[in-house]
Amino acid sequence: MDEHKGRLRASELEDSGDVGINPTANLTMGEIIAARFNRRDLLRGSLAVAAISATVGTRALAANEQPARKAQAGSFDFAEIEAGVDQTHHVAEGYDAQVLLRWGDPIFADAPEFDPMNQTAERQARQFGYNSDFIGFIPLDGSSDRGLLVANHEYTNEELMFAGVGIQDSKDADFAKMTKELVDIEIAAHGGAVVEIRRVDGKWQVVKDSRYNRRITADTPMEITGPAAGHERMKTAADAGGRQVRGMVNNCAGGVTPWGTWLSCEENFNGYFWGKVGDNHPEARNYKRYGIGTPAYAWGKFYDRFDIAKEPNEANRFGWVVEIDPFDPNFVPKKRTALGRTKHEGAAGITNRDGRYVIYLGDDERFDYVYKFVTAGKVDPQNRAANLGLLDEGTLYVARYNADGTGTWLPVVHGQGPLTEANGFRSQADVLIETRRAADLLGATKMDRPEDIEANPQTNRVYVMLTNNTRRKEDQVDAANPRANNAFGHIVEMMPEGADHASTAFKWEVLVKCGDPAVASVGATFSSETTRNGWFGMPDNCAIDSQGRLWIATDGNNAKATGRADGLWALETEGELRGTSKHFFRVPVGAEMCGPCFTPNDESLFLAVQHPGEPEDGVQASFENPITRWPDFKDGVPPRPSVLVITKKGGGKIA
Ligand code: FEO
Ligand code: CA
Ligand code: CA
């Protein structure tokens, strides 16, 4: 925040401890001594004591002195790239990285070409939006060479998109340079896109005249469904029924269901709302818990609904998981309230052995929680239409990680435990609208910013990315969040009891503590086979390919933090090499790595390069003076967030 004079940049919303702070004192497990060290930690000598950490550092350093060393019988064959930072992207030798869709690319046959000096909201609504995070690929006719790419457009960088604007500051300048015209472009650049793509002669193409292509924006009409739909707290002047809302915002990661819908997750929705409600307002406690009141966008200047002083319930209509049917361009997106209201990172799921669908959900804020949702009904492979109602009925749970390596899923259900009228919850709608406060009362474990969570269908193990938390103090350390001042994050692996994702019991262990293993004080626990290029910090998005291998995308690495750009790393999870990481791809300066998504045959890998050229570490950047002009590198053209597709030269699986 400091380097931007108080402007809370959208990307910093998720890295800010100034918003949505978890106020409860009960759940850092301060009373639980971090006494649990799993077998692998012991074998690797990764106990958090200096002497042993130093040993780890020495061992890692010895391996690091041999960067070309090939991992013994590992799952990944590619030749690792050099870690570093420069103006462009880098992929492992033997692979092509094709720029498939850039911000502003037309996605309809009659859509206008990108012209950064003459952009309008109307043009933007016919073009690919800004800053994709989640990417999904939904095959057409079972093909890995033809399908629907679904992409979230999470947020906008006005300083890089618009000439003469620079970084706008809500406190100093009241977003003075943000006109209604520019705000309307931003609204049209948010949301998501459905784009048919096809691979012809090895190259991927956009099918601009596809009947499936669609842009969804922060103004697209949507329906609110599930237990909170129609509740008094969801009603506004524009929607007396509490069931219709315009748009989705800050859609970060998501998921694709087995019935071929796209789940798109509203994350830092608080940054879009202006104004205040008084301390005695019925929503005051709710809005404080979500950090509403520190706008990152000028929208409230022109639209009353983005000002809670004028429309106090509108913010309750954001923070949900949105289900979209990409096969029907007229489908009204559904905000599925049964899955809870948080700063949702993602919504990746797995069909449980009993046929129910289970979705894992991270709430990306320091000291917030890991959730899962278990449908009441079963997935019906024969009846797609029946599955479209599945996400409206089921049970939401929040995770408690015990110090002995066990864990419990606590039902977030009205009437159970403290979730009663005495605590202000008169119905399940109240519980869902204030999911965070309900989870506080249940005694969930405060985590180090839970991001993507993916279940491996081959092993039923579940991987939780915990990106970082530099505000965790020594006396707040617990077994599942074992480092104070956790600058580099870690990954937790969860094993549902009996491989049953609907069970309320699980076991867990820390898979890896991230950061530079050569620096003893960091306490990283990558395996000693990991090279100096192979380690990473700040795990964020992840994917499991069809071979069951785990790939990690990062957000927050840069020259100062880790001496490397964000990128994609491949991480061994099984056997002797477990905890060994290899560097596959890196982004240009200022960007974070998003996606990742494999086609079912593992031959194509979609990656999203989000906010290339975004100012970082006090380095200023603007439309006029960007720190990179990736990927076009043309004078006058700003950096453009883009989706890439990686394929192997000459064909074959990504190895
Ligand atoms: Fe938008 Fe938590 O990443
Ligand atoms: Ca993310
Ligand atoms: Ca992120």
Side-chain angles (χ1 to χ4, degrees), residues 14 154 249-250 252 265-269 343-345 364:
E14 60 192 40
E154 185 175 2
V249 297
N250 214 269
C252 191
C265 296
E266 294 183 310
E267 193 187 32
N268 294 301
F269 64 93
K343 295 185 184 175
H344 286 290
E345 174 69 24
D364 181 7

Side-chain angles (χ1 to χ4, degrees), residues 224 228-232 234-244 317:
I224 298 164
H231 192 271
E232 285 302 315
M234 304 292 275
K235 294 177 180 171
T236 63
D239 174 28
R243 294 175 185 273
Q244 312 290 329
R317 295 140 61 85

Side-chain angles (χ1 to χ4, degrees), residues 141-315:
D141 305 324
S143 171
S144 279
D145 289 337
R146 183 179 167 230
L148 302 182
L149 187 93
V150 293
N152 288 352
H153 298 310
E154 185 175 2
Y155 71 97
T156 47
N157 289 83
E158 76 281 334
E159 75 282 6
L160 299 175
M161 293 172 72
F162 306 129
V165 166
I167 290 174
Q168 291 293 283
D169 187 317
S170 61
K171 291 182 180 123
D172 293 357
D174 200 23
F175 299 100
K177 291 187 177 158
M178 288 304 292
T179 62
K180 182 165 182 299
E181 286 67 31
L182 295 183
V183 164
D184 286 343
I185 295 170
E186 287 191 311
I187 288 172
H190 275 69
V194 179
V195 185
E196 183 180 337
I197 56 172
R198 182 183 290 161
R199 194 178 184 196
V200 180
D201 298 331
K203 279 277 228 182
W204 283 92
Q205 305 171 351
V206 170
V207 183
K208 280 201 245 177
D209 58 0
S210 169
R211 68 189 177 92
Y212 300 113
N213 291 3
R214 179 178 190 187
R215 268 305 316 284
I216 290 162
T217 74
D219 197 46
T220 299
M222 304 198 174
E223 186 185 344
I224 298 164
T225 73
H231 192 271
E232 285 302 315
R233 298 171 74 180
M234 304 292 275
K235 294 177 180 171
T236 63
D239 174 28
R243 294 175 185 273
Q244 312 290 329
V245 60
R246 296 190 83 86
M248 57 184 195
V249 297
N250 214 269
N251 293 70
C252 191
V256 167
T257 64
W259 53 95
T261 60
W262 160 32
L263 302 181
S264 182
C265 296
E266 294 183 310
E267 193 187 32
N268 294 301
F269 64 93
N270 56 307
Y272 298 81
F273 291 94
W274 283 42
K276 302 252 181 273
V277 291
D279 288 347
N280 296 322
H281 190 279
E283 299 297 348
R285 174 171 60 178
N286 165 22
Y287 286 174
K288 185 163 188 235
R289 184 65 177 84
Y290 290 96
I292 289 162
T294 313
Y297 289 97
W299 301 8
K301 194 157 105 175
F302 305 105
Y303 292 99
D304 285 355
R305 72 183 181 111
F306 290 111
D307 185 337
I308 57 169
K310 296 172 181 159
E311 187 52 271
N313 283 348
E314 186 73 355

Side-chain angles (χ1 to χ4, degrees), residues 343-487:
K343 295 185 184 175
H344 286 290
E345 174 69 24
I350 186 165
T351 305
N352 198 37
R353 59 184 193 186
D354 63 6
R356 287 184 286 173
Y357 196 58
V358 179
I359 297 175
Y360 289 94
L361 305 148
D363 181 1
D364 181 7
E365 188 98 56
R366 292 181 178 98
F367 301 112
D368 262 293
Y369 306 127
V370 169
Y371 297 83
K372 75 170 177 183
F373 178 78
V374 182
T375 60
K378 295 177 181 179
V379 179
D380 184 348
Q382 312 304 328
N383 185 354
R384 183 168 190 266
N387 297 327
L388 285 170
L390 267 185
L391 302 187
D392 284 335
E393 278 183 59
T395 306
L396 183 67
Y397 297 88
V398 66
R400 186 175 66 211
Y401 296 81
N402 303 317
D404 64 356
T406 65
T408 311
W409 288 107
L410 308 161
V412 188
V413 173
H414 180 251
Q416 296 194 22
L419 307 184
T420 60
E421 185 147 11
N423 285 312
F425 300 108
R426 284 185 291 273
S427 64
Q428 184 64 8
D430 281 332
V431 168
L432 294 167
I433 289 167
E434 293 186 80
T435 300
R436 282 184 166 182
R437 193 169 67 83
D440 294 341
L441 292 169
L442 288 166
T445 301
K446 292 177 167 183
M447 307 299 285
D448 287 345
R449 293 187 57 200
E451 299 257 20
D452 265 7
I453 305 173
E454 292 270 347
N456 184 334
Q458 296 188 3
T459 63
N460 285 301
R461 291 167 184 258
V462 178
Y463 296 93
V464 184
M465 306 298 118
L466 296 154
T467 200
N468 60 39
N469 181 356
T470 51
R471 302 212 176 165
R472 188 176 291 275
K473 304 279 193 295
E474 291 289 351
D475 65 357
Q476 295 174 310
V477 162
D478 62 41
N481 300 276
R483 287 187 290 185
N485 186 27
N486 181 9

